[in-house]
Amino acid sequence: MKAIEVKNLSKIYKGNIMAVDDISFDVDEGIIFGFLGPNGAGKSSTIKILVTLTKATEGTAHVFDVDVTKESSKIREMIGYVPQDISADGTLTGYENLLLSAKLYDIPRGKREQRIEDILEIMGLTQRSNSLVATYSGGMVRRLEIGQAMLHRPRLLFLDEPTIGLDPAGRKLVWEHIQKLNTDDKTTIFLTTHYMEEAEALCDRIGIIDRGKISIIDSPDALKEMVGVGTVTVVLDLGDHKKNGEQYLSSLLKGLIVSLSSLSDEKWRFTVQNAPQHAPKIIQTLTDHDIIVKDLEVKSPTLEDAFLKFTGTKLEEDASKNEWKSLKGRRRTFKRLT
Ligand SMILES: Nc1ncnc2c1ncn2[C@@H]1O[C@H](COP(=O)(O)OP(=O)(O)O)[C@@H](O)[C@H]1O
Ligand SMILES: [Mg+2]
């Protein structure tokens, strides 16, 4: 059974703002699916339709075969949702936040205590369960929120930008917990992110979304393979051929490389189809011609390259521009709650 099935989904906001533009995709049960795209791409809008918080303008969406527009209460029993902005209450302790959610989710009185304790344990928050959430680090708040969304043991968990604004250590810890939920509890996870490393670290499949449209969906490895080229960067002593280095190297490596560029006097970068496989042949050819290879770095294509190929824009540049804005947004929400 498919966890999610979306067909020709569009969302147009007031003022004719096309947030989601005729997207179709599905997500198999049991996987971690990542929706990767820059700010404003339509990620949150898509999630909000799937979790029944907003209605699509066109198209259909099913979660475990249930129509999101027709049976929203059935959907809400099956899913957990952590919104992009901070939702935990800073004036309450971690335990109290969980208790509130347990009541909201109608977890029977007799089972609440145990379930909350389990979740605190799973999310690594037992030690701090009686501290006010306002004193938590960003990563702890996020783990608490994921815990709140997991109390009723949903089959499918939606995480909207789970690590936005977290430092690398906090981010890593959240990743570990997400992975644990997926492997131990078999929870299907749908997450959005504008962090390339996050998609790479967590996701079995990635959908790249940009300006409301999905450009491609595949596994991280397949996406990188489609890019094809990687790089081989070398520091060379060209001896007598220093002066006409570019010409000399081009003719020597014809057929082995796609292109080359000079990074400094001795440093060269070759663009290479399947870099790891071709690198040894390149080095062999160079040394056969008495060129001394002083340094070598081989890089396979990255997800960043794939993103560039499929959207024509660089995600990281775009993301850093918006990072501060998102952080401020989260802080503001947090303040309002505390
Ligand atoms: N409630 C809303 N009303 C009007 N426009 C909106 C609303 N929510 C989002 N948008 C717009 O829709 C587009 C997609 O937004 P969103 O789904 O939040 O993208 P993402 O989560 O990928 O950053 C953006 O241009 C955004 O400004
Ligand atoms: Mg968003």
Side-chain angles (χ1 to χ4, degrees):
M1 192 199 287
K2 297 281 182 200
I4 301 173
E5 268 184 295
V6 164
K7 286 211 177 83
N8 304 108
L9 201 72
S10 293
K11 176 73 188 176
I12 304 169
Y13 290 109
K14 264 188 213 140
N16 217 14
I17 298 164
M18 185 72 135
V20 179
D21 186 1
D22 191 22
I23 61 170
S24 299
F25 66 94
D26 47 51
V27 174
D28 285 334
E29 188 169 10
I31 71 163
I32 302 183
F33 182 91
F35 224 24
L36 180 67
N39 277 19
K43 304 181 299 293
S44 295
S45 299
T46 307
I47 280 208
K48 282 179 191 155
I49 296 169
L50 292 171
V51 302
T52 76
L53 287 179
T54 189
K55 285 218 180 323
T57 314
E58 301 259 4
T60 58
H62 288 82
V63 167
F64 295 115
D65 282 344
V66 179
D67 189 324
V68 296
T69 53
K70 294 194 179 122
E71 294 180 83
S72 51
S73 56
K74 218 169 169 182
I75 298 279
R76 288 175 195 196
E77 280 168 25
M78 297 191 289
I79 64 160
Y81 166 54
V82 182
Q84 187 171 331
D85 288 323
I86 284 178
S87 57
D89 188 337
T91 65
L92 300 178
T93 65
Y95 179 88
E96 288 164 342
N97 267 285
L98 284 163
L99 186 61
L100 206 66
S101 300
K103 288 178 182 172
L104 270 172
Y105 282 125
D106 265 340
I107 293 171
R109 191 180 284 267
K111 288 192 178 158
R112 273 180 212 157
E113 198 75 18
Q114 189 58 51
R115 187 65 191 140
I116 291 173
E117 268 168 35
D118 289 349
I119 285 285
L120 284 165
E121 192 63 41
I122 293 169
M123 290 297 151
L125 292 169
T126 308
Q127 305 297 325
R128 295 289 304 277
S129 65
N130 291 318
S131 311
L132 287 185
V133 169
T135 67
Y136 281 17
S137 70
M140 290 166 71
V141 175
R142 220 39 176 164
R143 269 144 51 209
L144 175 68
E145 291 171 337
I146 296 173
Q148 286 176 277
M150 286 303 296
L151 274 167
H152 59 303
R153 298 181 197 277
R155 295 164 73 184
L156 172 60
L157 181 61
F158 289 93
L159 303 172
D160 199 353
E161 305 269 4
T163 67
I164 198 166
L166 299 187
D167 59 37
R171 185 170 296 163
K172 267 230 161 104
L173 214 53
V174 171
W175 288 354
E176 279 170 26
H177 286 92
I178 293 173
Q179 265 159 341
K180 209 156 79 179
L181 290 177
N182 178 247
T183 42
D184 296 358
D185 293 10
K186 307 276 173 266
T187 314
T188 307
I189 292 174
F190 182 101
L191 64 88
T192 73
T193 185
H194 64 260
Y195 297 123
M196 213 61 82
E197 333 84 89
E198 183 153 293
E200 176 119 44
L202 291 177
C203 301
D204 301 302
R205 280 177 80 74
I206 292 173
I208 292 179
I209 180 165
D210 192 25
R211 286 173 222 132
K213 283 206 175 291
I214 295 180
S215 358
I216 184 118
I217 301 178
D218 219 316
S219 67
D221 283 345
L223 290 175
K224 285 185 271 182
E225 239 166 66
M226 281 181 235
V227 177
V229 292
T231 57
V232 174
T233 307
V234 284
V235 176
L236 302 176
D237 184 347
L238 288 172
D240 295 343
H241 296 282
K242 238 177 212 150
K243 282 203 188 89
N244 63 339
E246 184 157 348
Q247 224 178 346
Y248 183 57
L249 287 171
S250 297
S251 68
L252 268 191
L253 301 173
K254 210 172 172 192
L256 282 175
I257 64 173
V258 178
S259 66
L260 91 173
S261 58
S262 157
L263 300 181
S264 70
D265 236 14
E266 297 197 313
K267 200 167 186 179
W268 300 85
R269 176 159 296 155
F270 310 131
T271 312
V272 181
Q273 206 76 34
N274 197 343
Q277 197 195 323
H278 282 109
K281 272 186 251 165
I282 292 168
I283 302 308
Q284 187 66 50
T285 309
L286 294 171
T287 47
D288 282 352
H289 289 82
D290 297 325
I291 296 169
I292 300 164
V293 181
K294 298 201 273 192
D295 197 15
L296 163 73
E297 189 187 43
V298 182
K299 275 207 168 131
S300 297
T302 62
L303 212 50
E304 171 87 51
D305 300 327
F307 192 83
L308 188 63
K309 180 184 167 90
F310 292 112
T311 68
T313 48
K314 278 200 163 171
L315 182 56
E316 297 299 337
E317 275 173 16
D318 178 277
S320 60
K321 254 191 279 164
N322 288 292
E323 191 94 325
W324 175 235
K325 220 169 74 189
S326 336
L327 248 174
K328 276 207 306 204
R330 277 178 68 80
R331 291 243 170 83
R332 199 162 44 237
T333 320
F334 194 63
K335 266 207 181 123
R336 206 184 59 224
L337 291 167
T338 54

